Amino acid sequence: MISLWTDISYKRKYKSLEGNEKTNVLIIGGGLAGLLCAYKLHKQGIDYILIEKEKICGGNTKNTSAKITFQHGLIYNKLMKGGGYEKALMYLNANMKAFEEMKELCMKNQCDFQEKDAYVYSLDNAKVIEDEAQALLKLGFESQVEKTVNLPFNIAAALKFPCQGQFNPLKFAYGISENLNICENTFAKKIKGHTVITDKGEITAEKIIITTHFPFINRYGLYSLKMYQHRSYITAYENGPDIGGMYVDEAMNGMSFRNAGNYLFIGGGDHRTGKKGGGFDEIRAFAKKYYPSLKEKYAWAAQDCITLDDIPYIGRYSLLTPDIYTAAGFNKWGMTTSMAAADILCDEIMGVKNENTEVFRPSRSILKPRLFANIFEAGINLLTPGKRCPHLGCALKWNKYEKTWDCPCHGSRFSENGVILDNPSQKNLKTKLK
Ligand SMILES: Cc1cc2nc3c(=O)[nH]c(=O)nc-3n(C[C@H](O)[C@H](O)[C@H](O)COP(=O)(O)OP(=O)(O)OC[C@H]3O[C@@H](n4cnc5c(N)ncnc54)[C@H](O)[C@@H]3O)c2cc1C
């Protein structure tokens, strides 16, 4: 099950770490977030090393649907209500700036970038769409409410953000990383003060940025309470119709659509990792009903970290670790929020004031309803008998679609034979399971 991007993009290879090193900034994790941090530091002439445990963008970034937009579902009305005008404006400004920067970089790197309108639709609730348009207007951004879209079913309403974009994330990643100081196949095992111990040697750094998708130090920052992972499935159909835009359902478990060359991507079947959900069956049933003549060519899945308030954690890892930073919890909108993270973290490291940091501060209040849902899920799975996850000991669940063992608490995943596929676990399972 490989993504279209993995199949059609060329690969770039990097050396591994050789011996011990010293640097100003060490970035751990070479997904889009880590690469963009490295790119920005490189541009500023700051000494840095990026280490990646396997291949750059071999994690979730290779399986994204790669829509570049600051339309993140119906986030703005929610932010206005929950955090107020100032925070919603910071979120919008950070992501609008990030969008422009991504677009500029796409223009310089051949990555099949195309300008497309982005739509978020509701099947049955026009009011939530209209409320989002009003919230955006108060923030100074004019979106458009539409009653129909170029999809084969009826909707109540959709909100259009004109002139957003889509691209091939791997071509982009290999393009921007050409001259970066990257060590692949270098696994960060632990951090002792300012020294990171890897499987290839030790690196001492003044500042450390953790962009490992799910932050891997358990002792600080409470990330295991503050995040869970949500898995989504994508199928690519050959010779699909041109749907003229990029679409997401406002409902958490709805469908998403975009074109990529002559393919039509349909996304959906979502569920909390380790729990039951529609998976590929749901998408295939949908495609059979609405696009019966199309032939499936690729099918793959990925997951992203979901925060307590739908806002990523970007900034100091915790109050007790002043020189460690993170960018995580992109809530399935990591194309612009990774760039926003690179902006914020590089400014922080260079001592430059950034107007948009506060809304993303990782140490903000955790008293949100999702915290209690996460605690409940952890409690249940810690008490459930069965094979244990090496991360914090929750019971693993068998995923029949992908033939993997998945953790419902924090989203670690393991192959049939116990090999780690997705963190936060840092270890393989001890025994072969099947
Ligand atoms: C199905 C799906 C569709 C999506 N579609 C969109 C979209 O259309 N638009 C959008 O904006 N966002 C989208 N997203 C979200 C986006 O794909 C992610 O937010 C983004 O790719 C996450 O990038 P990352 O760098 O945080 O993580 P990753 O790409 O997972 O990178 C983390 C890297 O860290 C490395 N690593 C981990 N631990 C260590 C260690 N100990 N030492 C060294 N390296 C380590 C891993 O190997 C990995 O390469 C989607 C997400 C999903 C699940």
Side-chain angles (χ1 to χ4, degrees):
M1 285 204 309
I2 61 163
S3 69
L4 170 69
W5 318 128
T6 308
D7 200 23
I8 66 171
S9 313
Y10 67 96
K11 307 265 180 309
R12 194 184 286 290
K13 283 191 181 157
Y14 290 89
K15 65 180 188 325
S16 303
L17 180 68
E18 289 162 9
N20 297 343
E21 289 274 2
K22 272 193 175 164
T23 183
N24 285 349
V25 185
L26 172 64
I27 303 159
I28 307 174
L32 188 67
L35 277 187
L36 288 171
C37 288
Y39 181 82
K40 290 236 157 195
L41 292 172
H42 189 86
K43 287 286 250 188
Q44 296 297 330
I46 293 173
D47 181 48
Y48 69 92
I49 301 173
L50 182 152
I51 58 170
E52 160 56 46
K53 73 173 175 164
E54 290 169 1
K55 299 279 160 216
I56 57 163
C57 288
N60 286 286
T61 300
K62 73 175 181 307
N63 290 339
T64 181
S65 49
K67 303 181 288 291
I68 315 173
T69 172
F70 49 90
Q71 179 192 73
H72 295 174
L74 300 179
I75 185 89
Y76 296 102
N77 192 30
K78 190 175 169 194
L79 289 184
M80 289 275 266
K81 283 186 182 155
Y85 175 85
E86 292 298 333
K87 292 212 171 127
L89 191 62
M90 282 179 205
Y91 189 96
L92 178 63
N93 285 342
N95 281 289
M96 274 177 121
K97 178 168 182 269
F99 170 77
E100 291 303 332
E101 288 180 295
M102 283 296 286
K103 188 171 156 183
E104 201 184 316
L105 263 186
C106 285
M107 298 300 181
K108 291 184 193 154
N109 292 278
Q110 286 198 350
C111 59
D112 306 332
F113 177 82
Q114 284 180 298
E115 206 164 73
K116 292 277 175 184
D117 298 337
Y119 297 84
V120 52
Y121 64 85
S122 174
L123 292 176
D124 52 12
N125 191 346
K127 185 164 180 323
V128 291
I129 299 293
E130 280 149 17
D131 288 350
E132 181 75 356
Q134 286 306 314
L136 280 158
L137 209 52
K138 286 186 194 143
L139 295 170
F141 179 75
E142 208 169 319
S143 54
Q144 295 156 26
V145 177
E146 311 266 328
K147 288 291 172 196
T148 56
V149 287
N150 202 5
L151 292 173
F153 48 84
N154 293 328
I155 58 160
L159 194 67
K160 173 176 158 184
F161 280 29
C163 306
Q164 306 291 291
Q166 61 184 31
F167 70 146
N168 174 329
L170 291 189
K171 285 189 182 174
F172 175 85
Y174 295 130
I176 64 164
S177 62
E178 190 173 359
N179 298 312
L180 302 185
N181 189 15
I182 293 173
C183 298
E184 287 186 331
N185 299 309
T186 304
F187 174 59
K189 295 199 284 192
K190 54 179 150 178
I191 303 183
K192 274 191 184 165
H194 284 81
T195 300
V196 173
I197 292 116
T198 81
D199 58 348
K200 303 277 174 4
E202 297 185 359
I203 304 176
T204 303
E206 286 163 29
K207 309 274 181 193
I208 297 167
I209 299 178
I210 299 179
T211 45
T212 52
H213 191 64
F214 202 114
F216 73 97
I217 315 173
N218 290 326
R219 206 156 16 123
Y220 302 106
L222 299 175
Y223 291 94
S224 296
L225 286 177
K226 294 198 299 198
M227 295 202 303
Y228 71 95
Q229 300 201 56
H230 210 249
R231 199 149 180 84
S232 318
Y233 300 78
I234 300 175
T235 49
Y237 291 90
E238 249 177 333
N239 303 318
D242 182 357
I243 54 172
M246 314 179 292
Y247 303 84
V248 291
D249 191 329
E250 54 89 16
M252 184 74 161
N253 294 337
M255 312 291 266
S256 68
F257 307 86
R258 67 162 276 193
N259 291 111
N262 70 336
Y263 292 101
L264 173 66
F265 285 9
I266 306 181
D270 304 25
H271 56 85
R272 184 177 177 128
T273 302
K275 306 286 272 188
K276 288 203 169 74
F280 292 119
D281 289 352
E282 189 177 316
I283 303 177
R284 286 171 183 148
F286 174 91
K288 198 171 167 192
K289 180 171 175 192
Y290 291 105
Y291 298 107
S293 61
L294 295 188
K295 196 162 154 256
E296 182 182 310
K297 182 74 195 280
Y298 298 92
W300 69 91
Q303 60 191 34
D304 210 3
C305 299
I306 308 296
T307 61
L308 298 175
D309 52 8
D310 294 331
I311 304 170
Y313 300 121
I314 303 169
R316 288 207 176 154
Y317 199 91
S318 76
L319 295 174
L320 298 172
T321 49
D323 293 325
I324 304 181
Y325 302 87
T326 196
F330 295 131
N331 302 288
K332 301 191 187 171
W333 292 112
M335 300 297 105
T336 57
T337 46
S338 286
M339 180 59 103
D343 276 339
I344 288 169
L345 295 181
C346 293
D347 281 352
E348 176 96 20
I349 280 165
M350 292 188 308
V352 173
K353 188 170 164 43
N354 185 309
E355 303 291 334
N356 302 320
T357 52
E358 186 55 25
V359 66
F360 300 104
R361 191 167 44 82
S363 56
R364 63 189 182 265
S365 170
I366 59 169
L367 292 176
K368 306 280 172 199
R370 240 176 240 166
L371 173 70
F372 303 102
N374 287 349
I375 293 172
F376 178 77
E377 197 61 50
I380 293 280
N381 287 292
L382 283 168
L383 295 173
T384 305
K387 299 290 176 191
R388 316 315 299 178
C389 177
H391 175 226
L392 293 176
C394 290
L396 297 169
K397 298 280 158 57
W398 178 243
N399 172 342
K400 66 173 181 176
Y401 295 110
E402 299 176 82
K403 301 206 173 356
T404 54
W405 289 96
D406 300 355
C407 174
C409 297
H410 311 108
S412 297
R413 298 178 61 253
F414 305 86
S415 72
E416 222 170 343
N417 295 328
V419 176
I420 178 78
L421 300 172
D422 280 291
N423 69 355
S425 175
Q426 292 268 87
K427 294 180 187 152
N428 294 332
L429 295 178
K430 280 197 183 124
T431 49
K432 288 193 175 185
L433 294 173
K434 263 198 153 211

